Amino acid sequence: RVSEIARLRGDADPADTCLALMAEDGGRLNGIFHTMSEDDVRLVMQQPWVAIASDGSAINLEAPGVPHPRNYSTNARALGHYVRGERVLALEDAVRKMTSLPAQILGLRDRGQIREGLFADLVVFDPARVGETNSFEQPKSYAAGVAFVLANGVIVIDKGEHTGARPGRVLYGHGYKRAASSSSGGY
């Protein structure tokens, strides 16, 4: 917390601490901001047109820094805390909000559902166990209750362990334009 950092540095004003930290890090300071109430989160989550997704990054446990917990547990938190614990959503609604709804919003017609001919991006989880294992203080840990993950039909997580497979690929939206190739084969 900025207030704690200010106290440790001997700064009287936490705003001075923020400015000093930004100057020391070349303006690349990251932060976690708590701006939504739990009541708002629950209300928004219940709207049928709202997807459950994250702007988190794919980060391994050895990466430096203290990332937001969402990098490891957005969907697991929704399933464990909001579905099983708080009963804000039915399991089926939450799964739709994590799969077919985001695919529909992004125009990804070949993903988000289990159907012949679509890419096999699948997660097998135990609804009684799935959940977050991390916190803001200890953000780096993988979710509980996730047995298998398949990306493009390849097993990536097998009984909770990473197989080393990396079958993922970049998905471009409708606005993406590939760079024109020159006659020399470059970009």
Side-chain angles (χ1 to χ4, degrees):
R1 301 187 188 284
V2 174
S3 58
E4 187 176 332
I5 296 169
R7 185 182 55 75
L8 291 170
R9 292 173 62 113
D11 296 341
D13 187 344
D16 292 335
T17 304
C18 285
L19 292 171
L21 290 171
M22 286 191 292
E24 292 166 15
D25 199 32
R28 297 180 309 271
L29 192 62
N30 292 318
I32 297 172
F33 306 96
H34 302 275
T35 58
M36 291 182 67
S37 72
E38 270 298 302
D39 289 341
D40 289 344
V41 171
R42 286 180 176 92
L43 177 65
V44 168
M45 190 177 290
Q46 291 173 331
Q47 304 313 307
W49 60 87
V50 174
I52 296 173
S54 173
D55 62 351
S57 302
I59 302 175
N60 69 38
L61 294 175
E62 289 79 39
V66 183
H68 194 290
R70 70 174 157 245
N71 291 293
Y72 299 91
S73 66
T74 295
N75 290 342
R77 176 168 173 77
L79 293 168
H81 180 74
Y82 292 108
V83 171
R84 187 179 62 245
E86 299 290 320
R87 301 193 186 282
V88 173
L89 291 172
L91 178 61
E92 297 80 9
D93 292 334
V95 169
R96 181 187 78 82
K97 288 172 168 285
M98 296 174 186
T99 57
S100 63
L101 182 58
Q104 178 185 1
I105 291 168
L106 295 171
L108 302 173
R109 294 187 175 107
D110 55 359
R111 297 182 186 269
Q113 297 180 38
I114 300 173
R115 278 198 340 225
E116 186 175 337
L118 301 188
F119 285 91
D121 298 331
L122 303 167
V123 176
V124 178
F125 63 91
D126 179 351
R129 288 192 49 241
V130 68
E132 63 195 319
T133 61
N134 59 1
S135 65
F136 287 105
E137 292 75 23
Q138 299 290 322
K140 293 181 180 180
S141 66
Y142 297 125
V146 178
F148 298 95
V149 175
L150 286 81
N152 294 320
V154 177
I155 297 175
V156 176
I157 303 295
D158 186 357
K159 297 179 188 133
E161 297 295 322
H162 201 292
T163 64
R166 301 172 82 160
R169 48 187 261 209
V170 175
L171 302 177
Y172 295 105
H174 297 296
Y176 177 76
K177 300 222 186 294
R178 295 194 189 277
S181 298
S182 69
S183 59
S184 64
Y187 294 96

